[in-house]
Amino acid sequence: MTQSSTEARSRARPAAAPAQDAAAGPSVAVVIPCYNEAAAIAQVVAAFRASLPHAQIYAFDNNSVDDTAAIARAAGAEVIAVALQGKGNVVRRMFADVDADIFVMVDGDATYDAAAAPALVDLLIENRLDMVVGARVSDEEAAYRRGHRFGNVLLTQCAAAIFGRTFKDMLSGYRVFSRRYAKTFPAHSKGFEIETELAVHALSLRMPVAEVDTVYGARPDGSESKLNTFRDGFRILMTILALFKAEKPFAFFSVGFAACAAVSLVLAVPIVNTYLSTGLVPRLPTAVLSSAMMLLGAILLICGIVLDTVTRGRNEHKRLAYLAIPPARSRRHARRTDAGSSGGDVG
């Protein structure tokens, strides 16, 4: 085998966190999705290098047209290019290509508090959680615009009404994940709606999660937000509805059944009254429409029942995949386990 082919195969391997002794605790990877963040990425890498000195830092460059990749590499991050545009595509690559026990995901715009990362990681490990969300808290209007605040609250409440218990900041870009979560997350979304899918995935599998308030600051000079309030808000709303259909099909199609049945009954009542009084059905088209609406409702209800059974089986498979991955161990637990193993070998 030639040296060039060996090097090519080496470059093709997925990025992996460096091997770490079990007694030293779980390995941590900081994964940063970035697109045209040349003004901020060096600050982000340096801040997380200082707060998590033993973590491996990866910058996932999503077709930036500025010097984001070069600056991130110079700051000490491992840069991985993602060709498919969109934050959802980047997150899919992050969880696929990086191997670690703990994943710290943060946007590359220097708006999140890196100093809070150790506390978030410790909370996840000590409480055996699968996701910790850094809820944004800011008094700066420039950092967290009113339109974004209102949209976040509105969409979060929509998700809460459908999926039950949720987060107060469902769209935060600052999160810590367990390996269990990262390696069982399907990641269907392509863009900013990925945050909604992240939250719903945890809720659908009833994973242990937490939310911690973190300081949210303004972007540095020269950095611009890529989020469009109305366009991306509409996409997130459509994602919520799509996840409602996928995760709770019986409830979703029951809404359609109830609407069709209500229309059918409204149309049928005067026809039935006329028939009982005269024995005639003078409005035949309305009668046909009423019957058709009830049949349509029945079809929707049957679809919901069938898909609910399919979804139950799919969730069971996701649950088994989740259970196949061991939880991250704390340093204290790792040392105790290793000591017990050593004692057993001696005996």
Side-chain angles (χ1 to χ4, degrees):
M1 183 180 293
T2 64
Q3 182 177 358
S4 60
S5 62
T6 303
E7 291 175 351
R9 283 204 315 176
S10 177
R11 285 194 299 270
R13 293 192 189 104
Q20 193 163 338
D21 185 76
S27 59
V28 179
V30 177
V31 288
I32 309 170
C34 45
Y35 171 66
N36 291 344
E37 296 292 358
I41 189 63
Q43 180 181 339
V44 175
V45 174
F48 279 89
R49 177 70 68 199
S51 64
L52 296 171
H54 300 294
Q56 185 75 9
I57 298 180
Y58 300 90
F60 283 76
D61 180 46
N62 196 201
N63 300 317
S64 297
V65 296
D66 58 11
D67 295 328
T68 297
I71 294 173
R73 190 176 292 108
E78 180 173 342
V79 177
I80 299 175
V82 180
L84 294 176
Q85 197 68 37
K87 187 175 181 179
N89 292 319
V90 175
V91 172
R92 185 184 294 109
R93 282 290 304 275
M94 284 178 177
F95 289 164
D97 291 358
V98 175
D99 189 16
D101 296 316
I102 307 295
F103 293 75
V104 179
M105 186 181 80
V106 63
D107 292 340
D109 54 11
T111 56
Y112 293 98
D113 182 19
L120 299 180
V121 171
D122 289 342
L123 178 65
L124 183 135
I125 295 172
E126 296 301 328
N127 291 279
R128 296 178 178 271
L129 304 176
D130 287 306
M131 181 170 67
V132 178
V133 178
R136 293 168 287 184
V137 177
S138 177
D139 295 327
E140 301 180 52
E141 179 65 25
Y144 203 1
R145 290 178 287 175
R146 290 183 181 179
H148 289 181
R149 291 176 193 261
F150 175 75
N152 187 16
V153 172
L154 179 63
L155 293 170
T156 298
Q157 291 304 315
C158 287
I162 296 172
F163 299 102
R165 183 183 63 84
T166 185
F167 312 92
K168 65 181 182 181
D169 188 6
M170 182 183 70
L171 305 181
S172 173
Y174 194 10
R175 300 168 187 255
V176 180
F177 304 97
S178 68
R179 178 183 175 84
R180 272 181 161 180
Y181 185 105
K183 298 305 181 182
T184 59
F185 178 62
H188 297 296
S189 301
K190 298 178 181 180
F192 285 108
E193 62 272 20
I194 188 67
E195 276 94 359
T196 302
E197 190 179 353
L198 289 167
V200 172
H201 178 64
L203 294 172
S204 66
L205 288 184
R206 287 174 281 181
M207 295 180 180
V209 298
E211 190 172 41
V212 178
D213 289 344
T214 56
V215 177
Y216 186 70
R219 285 172 170 266
D221 293 338
S223 176
E224 297 180 357
S225 175
K226 288 78 181 175
L227 180 66
N228 182 288
T229 303
F230 298 102
R231 181 195 63 205
D232 292 308
F234 178 76
R235 288 179 179 175
I236 292 169
L237 181 60
M238 291 298 100
T239 298
I240 292 174
L241 294 177
L243 290 171
F244 181 29
K245 179 178 71 69
E247 299 298 334
K248 295 190 173 185
F250 181 74
F252 180 85
F253 286 100
S254 292
V255 172
F257 163 72
C260 291
V263 172
S264 176
L265 291 175
V266 169
L267 294 174
V269 167
I271 297 174
V272 172
N273 289 335
T274 302
Y275 175 77
L276 293 176
S277 301
T278 65
L280 301 174
V281 183
R283 290 179 291 178
L284 184 60
T286 304
V288 172
L289 178 60
S290 176
S291 301
M293 292 300 295
M294 186 59 75
L295 287 173
L296 176 59
I299 292 172
L300 291 176
L301 184 62
I302 293 171
C303 287
I305 294 172
V306 173
L307 290 176
D308 185 68
T309 303
V310 174
T311 299
R312 182 181 295 272
R314 181 167 56 85
N315 285 337
E316 288 176 354
H317 283 293
K318 289 197 295 184
R319 181 70 180 175
L320 292 175
Y322 165 82
L323 293 174
I325 302 174
R329 299 184 301 170
S330 65
R331 293 176 176 83
R332 181 173 64 255
H333 182 268
R335 287 196 295 268
R336 185 167 62 248
T337 303
D338 292 343
S341 300
S342 299
D345 292 341
V346 173

